[in-house]
Amino acid sequence: MSYAVQAPDGNVGAPVAIGFDPARARDDFPILGNPVHDRPLVYLDTAASAQKPRAVIDAVRACYETEYANVHRGVYWLSERATEAYEGTREKARALINGAEAREIVFVRGATEGINLVAASFGQAFLEAGDEVVITHMEHHSNIVPWQMLRDRIGIVLKVAPIDDNGALILDGFVDLLGPRTRLAAFPHVANALGTLLPVEDMCRIAREKGVRTLIDGCQAAPHIPVDAQALGCDFYVFSGHKLYGPSGIGVLWGRAELLDAMPPWQGGGDMIRAVTFEETTYAETPHKFEAGTPNIAGVVGLGAAIDYLTGFGLDAIAAHEADLLGYATRRLTQFPDLRLIGTAPTKSGVISFVLDGVHPHDIATILDQQGVAVRAGHHCAQPVMERFGVTATVRASLGLYNSRDDIDGLTAGLDRVREIFG
């Protein structure tokens, strides 16, 4: 099954996946059946956090009701069942992004914690004052602040690769920054504020040729398009459960086994140790040495259910459906003469950011909410991107597998109402 990432001009066609029915998918999400302001809910904020299908809700409830116990520590039936489910999700996460081994999957609170773990642990093991980390101008704050903290702590140099006026990475500019002191390049797979799909395979290949390790923020990719970490050639890949239709408070860091083995633990405490005396501690093996304390057991179980739910549709089918929606939405929105799209890169995933002449994005979002349409307004935890495009905020409509063309029509009808109110 094929899909195409929709170009922002809407001219690149994308076949809707045969057999994919967004209305049927929508029925799997109980919250979407609840009206908002006496109107059907149109949820277009999946990039911030996806809604949860009944399968995930049921899995979390069943965990607490029937099979909850602490993992790895008990020899009784409940603990064994909980451990089996917990470690089963590790394998599901590996398969989702095609990691080489299940032990390369580290459970974290979210992608933010995963990036912080790499910054702290990889940074401690492999970086020193004067070494360089390269990021891009389209980063989420979670892929900026941890590196600034590392810079302030040990004296690394942080460099920023440029983007063009369409929101696409200037690849030559990225390559030019990879010098003899560059140790790591960290960048998004899909930019959360712009929807830009980066040439991550090329970026990883070029970095690898120069001896530079790579980290990909996959939050906006893993729920929407097929991901193959081994084929991409990256060294680390992170994503969050709550954007993948799973629970909040759980996420995944994938790293190459040889790197994780060489990295020191980040946090200390129970479950990441093999033996402790007052004189010294012997740490557990990868990945457990990075998972201190009692984990989010039900969250991991819910994440496993979310992965099952996604893979039941197939990421190719989801990508095809969302590419069709992105093209349709782009065509509809560009019919508004006073609307400016922010982020028109040649390749995009399902994020559309825009501003409307003379109307603050917060006012737009408030009026849309009264029409039952949920969008995000603000800087989207990407303030440098806003500065790059000369705005303080945008309206962002982001797509999920439960959205349909009717939802896009609801958005455009809501924007008609905005323009009526503001003349």
Side-chain angles (χ1 to χ4, degrees), residues 10-264:
N11 290 327
V12 177
V16 180
I18 297 173
F20 187 90
D21 183 356
R24 183 174 179 181
R26 181 184 175 94
D27 288 343
D28 292 336
F29 293 78
I31 199 170
L32 298 181
N34 297 327
V36 172
H37 301 301
D38 297 321
R39 296 173 180 269
L41 172 60
V42 174
Y43 187 77
L44 293 171
D45 196 25
T46 296
S49 198
Q51 296 299 340
K52 318 306 172 192
R54 189 172 288 104
V56 169
I57 297 169
D58 289 347
V60 173
R61 184 175 61 247
C63 173
Y64 282 125
E65 288 182 346
T66 65
E67 294 185 353
Y68 178 80
N70 216 324
V71 295
H72 303 142
R73 304 178 190 182
V75 296
Y76 53 92
W77 185 85
L78 279 177
S79 180
E80 291 175 349
R81 290 288 291 170
T83 299
E84 180 182 346
Y86 184 89
E87 293 300 331
T89 296
R90 201 184 302 275
E91 169 56 26
K92 292 176 183 179
R94 182 213 63 78
L96 179 69
I97 62 169
N98 192 33
E101 304 177 61
R103 74 186 190 97
E104 296 176 327
I105 297 293
V106 178
F107 290 127
V108 287
R109 288 185 300 161
T112 297
E113 185 170 80
I115 295 170
N116 275 272
L117 190 162
V118 174
S121 180
F122 179 87
Q124 176 182 332
F126 296 104
L127 275 66
E128 59 185 28
D131 286 342
E132 299 166 356
V133 171
V134 174
I135 59 176
T136 77
H137 207 120
M138 63 184 85
E139 303 299 335
H140 187 281
H141 294 165
S142 294
N143 203 30
I144 302 174
V145 179
W147 308 113
Q148 292 176 334
M149 295 170 68
L150 186 64
R151 177 197 63 194
D152 297 343
R153 189 162 64 246
I154 69 171
I156 66 164
V157 177
L158 186 61
K159 294 187 173 183
V160 182
I163 60 176
D164 65 21
D165 291 341
N166 293 318
L169 179 79
I170 300 175
L171 185 59
D172 287 345
F174 170 78
V175 174
D176 288 344
L177 294 180
L178 302 179
R181 294 297 301 273
T182 308
R183 299 292 177 261
L184 180 76
F187 41 83
H189 199 155
V190 172
N192 80 301
L194 302 175
T196 304
L197 177 66
L198 280 73
V200 291
E201 188 167 357
D202 289 338
M203 296 168 75
C204 290
R205 175 183 52 78
I206 294 167
R208 188 168 58 253
E209 291 170 353
K210 294 177 177 290
V212 176
R213 299 293 187 178
T214 50
L215 179 152
I216 298 178
D217 171 3
C219 280
Q220 304 298 338
H224 303 288
I225 61 176
V227 174
D228 186 331
Q230 294 187 79
L232 292 177
C234 59
D235 295 293
F236 302 100
Y237 197 97
V238 298
F239 62 89
S240 290
H242 73 100
K243 298 181 191 291
L244 196 109
Y245 308 96
S248 57
I250 187 64
V252 166
L253 162 66
W254 172 83
R256 294 187 181 276
E258 64 272 19
L259 285 176
L260 295 177
D261 287 344
M263 289 161 51

Side-chain angles (χ1 to χ4, degrees), residues 233-307:
C234 59
D235 295 293
F236 302 100
Y237 197 97
V238 298
F239 62 89
S240 290
H242 73 100
K243 298 181 191 291
L244 196 109
Y245 308 96
S248 57
I250 187 64
V252 166
L253 162 66
W254 172 83
R256 294 187 181 276
E258 64 272 19
L259 285 176
L260 295 177
D261 287 344
M263 289 161 51
W266 179 37
Q267 297 175 325
D271 215 35
M272 52 77 68
I273 60 93
R274 178 178 294 170
V276 175
T277 69
F278 284 116
E279 289 71 36
E280 65 177 350
T281 294
T282 303
Y283 301 120
E285 299 295 326
T286 303
H288 302 293
K289 68 178 180 180
F290 297 111
E291 297 177 3
T294 297
N296 183 358
I297 299 164
V300 171
V301 170
L303 175 62
I307 293 172

Side-chain angles (χ1 to χ4, degrees), residues 26 32 34-45 333 354 361-377 395-399 403 406-418:
R26 181 184 175 94
L32 298 181
N34 297 327
V36 172
H37 301 301
D38 297 321
R39 296 173 180 269
L41 172 60
V42 174
Y43 187 77
L44 293 171
D45 196 25
L333 290 177
F354 61 90
H362 289 166
D363 293 329
I364 297 172
T366 299
I367 295 169
L368 288 175
D369 176 60
Q370 296 299 316
Q371 309 302 307
V373 180
V375 296
R376 180 59 56 94
V395 178
R396 183 184 68 187
S398 53
L399 305 173
N403 291 124
D406 289 342
D407 292 333
I408 305 305
D409 293 341
L411 170 63
T412 56
L415 290 174
D416 283 333
R417 178 59 179 157
V418 172

